[in-house]
Amino acid sequence: MTVDLPLIWGLLIGFAVLMYVVMDGFDLGVGILFPVIGNERHRDTMMNSVAPVWDGNETWLVLGGGGLFAVFPLAYSVLLTAFYAPLTVMLLALIFRGVAFEFRFKDPRHKRAWAVSFAAGSTLATFCQGIVLGAFIQGVAVEGRGYAGGWFDWLTPFSVFTGAALVAGYALLGATWLVMKTGGDLQERAYGLVLPLTTAVVAAIAFVSVWTPLLHEDIAARWFSWPNLFYLSPVPLAVAGVVFLLARAVANRHEVQPFLLALALFLLSYFGLGISLFPNIIPPAVSIWDAAAPDASLLFLLVGALVLLPVILGYTGYAYWVFRGKVGTDDGYH
């Protein structure tokens, strides 16, 4: 039996990216909501709710980027060149945001400035990630084994829209996280944000679902030809079901369900994206098999990944278990 190593690595990289999106998504969302929650005591609680886990969440970004470099070097070189500008801005924004975690509490004279740094860093990093996502979906020009587009091909109306959509999506994750981790007035304010943000996210999903097939005939054929239409129709129906359950969970003041259902909304969107783009790692024409390193390298690295992944999953689960439960203003995790 032949083991399809590029496929295995494609699934592992996809898993790492998904873990980063859902885990760092909610802590970036908490920063995006900072301007909406003006109360400084509430902001202290918001920051404390993500302080123990935010840096561990970004491990998945390193794993995804490092894995792409090691096992799909063609994709790494092309995508990094194509998205150099937004990725650089994203990393700078993440640095500003990370510094704000410590300085906002230790430098009370400039607390408001560090709050701005935290909110702006979170929003800008998310917006850049959304721009990269949109530019990735619309396709990257490749000639031979190199990038053949311009420096600003990533900047289009579609990529700007996906950037704004991801800001709304992470804000929804942040609001449902605050519902789960806080209480009192802050929790009520978070409850009040969930439904408007859900409406914005669902509208963005619908818009992108219509816009994406217009960009690529292959994607339109994959979704709207028969019998694919029959087999794939459960995906939008599942999205409608999750939205209904999310609205009901908020109305009944459930504390954990809204966060889990918001994660389900992201999972379904990610699944839909995978259906549209698989097996291309550089849309629209470079597949995971075209971009993979030699099998000997993939096998060697897979042994390391099989050791590393359980360790990452283990300490991630342990961190969330240790810091489980509600968070207060004076917990001092920073």
Side-chain angles (χ1 to χ4, degrees):
M1 184 180 69
T2 302
V3 178
D4 194 336
L5 291 170
L7 178 60
I8 292 172
W9 266 110
L11 294 174
L12 284 176
I13 297 292
F15 176 71
V17 172
L18 174 64
M19 289 296 287
Y20 171 74
V21 167
V22 298
M23 298 188 76
D24 208 29
F26 71 78
D27 67 56
L28 286 166
V30 167
I32 293 168
L33 294 176
F34 244 45
V36 181
I37 310 293
N39 185 302
E40 287 297 331
R41 296 283 290 174
H42 287 346
R43 287 178 173 178
D44 290 346
T45 306
M46 293 166 71
M47 191 170 263
N48 279 335
S49 75
V50 295
V53 294
W54 74 273
D55 45 357
N57 293 341
E58 293 186 353
T59 302
W60 295 100
L61 179 64
V62 177
L63 181 65
L68 192 69
F69 170 72
V71 300
F72 297 114
L74 174 62
Y76 183 85
S77 64
V78 169
L79 296 177
L80 200 68
T81 307
F83 306 140
Y84 185 79
L87 288 176
T88 301
V89 174
M90 181 198 77
L91 292 174
L92 291 173
L94 288 176
I95 291 171
F96 266 93
R97 175 176 175 272
V99 171
F101 266 102
E102 299 297 333
F103 280 72
R104 185 174 173 276
F105 287 99
K106 302 297 183 185
D107 182 17
R109 283 201 310 161
H110 303 101
K111 194 171 186 178
R112 189 174 295 274
W114 290 115
V116 171
S117 176
F118 183 64
S122 301
T123 306
L124 189 57
T126 303
F127 185 65
C128 289
Q129 289 177 17
I131 280 185
V132 170
L133 173 64
F136 178 76
I137 293 172
Q138 70 189 10
V140 179
V142 179
E143 264 186 29
R145 295 183 67 80
Y147 176 59
W151 280 102
F152 294 99
D153 283 8
W154 51 270
L155 187 60
T156 66
F158 181 72
S159 66
V160 171
F161 180 81
T162 53
L166 195 63
V167 172
Y170 282 2
L172 173 62
L173 286 177
T176 53
W177 170 262
L178 292 175
V179 165
M180 184 172 64
K181 295 292 289 184
T182 66
D185 179 61
L186 177 55
Q187 186 188 50
E188 278 304 311
R189 296 184 70 171
Y191 270 125
L193 293 169
V194 172
L195 290 185
L197 287 169
T198 302
T199 303
V201 170
V202 172
I205 291 173
F207 212 60
V208 170
S209 299
V210 173
W211 200 337
T212 302
L214 295 176
L215 295 173
H216 298 288
E217 291 182 359
D218 291 346
I219 295 177
R222 184 167 295 185
W223 279 93
F224 301 121
S225 62
W226 190 262
N228 291 6
L229 187 61
F230 173 76
Y231 291 127
L232 299 179
S233 59
V235 178
L237 292 176
V239 170
V242 168
V243 172
F244 170 76
L245 292 174
L246 182 54
R248 194 175 68 171
V250 172
N252 293 329
R253 288 299 189 260
H254 291 299
E255 294 188 335
V256 178
Q257 286 184 20
F259 181 66
L260 298 179
L261 291 165
L263 290 180
L265 206 54
F266 266 75
L267 187 62
L268 287 167
S269 301
Y270 195 75
F271 183 61
L273 184 63
I275 291 172
S276 296
L277 300 180
F278 183 83
N280 292 325
I281 196 166
I282 310 175
V286 180
S287 72
I288 53 175
W289 296 281
D290 297 328
D295 275 2
S297 300
L298 298 182
L299 184 59
F300 175 77
L301 292 165
L302 185 61
V303 173
L306 292 177
V307 174
L308 190 62
L309 266 178
V311 173
I312 296 175
L313 288 170
Y315 78 65
T316 300
Y318 179 70
Y320 279 85
W321 172 256
V322 169
F323 293 101
R324 67 190 182 280
K326 298 287 184 182
V327 175
T329 305
D330 302 317
D331 281 337
Y333 295 143
H334 46 83

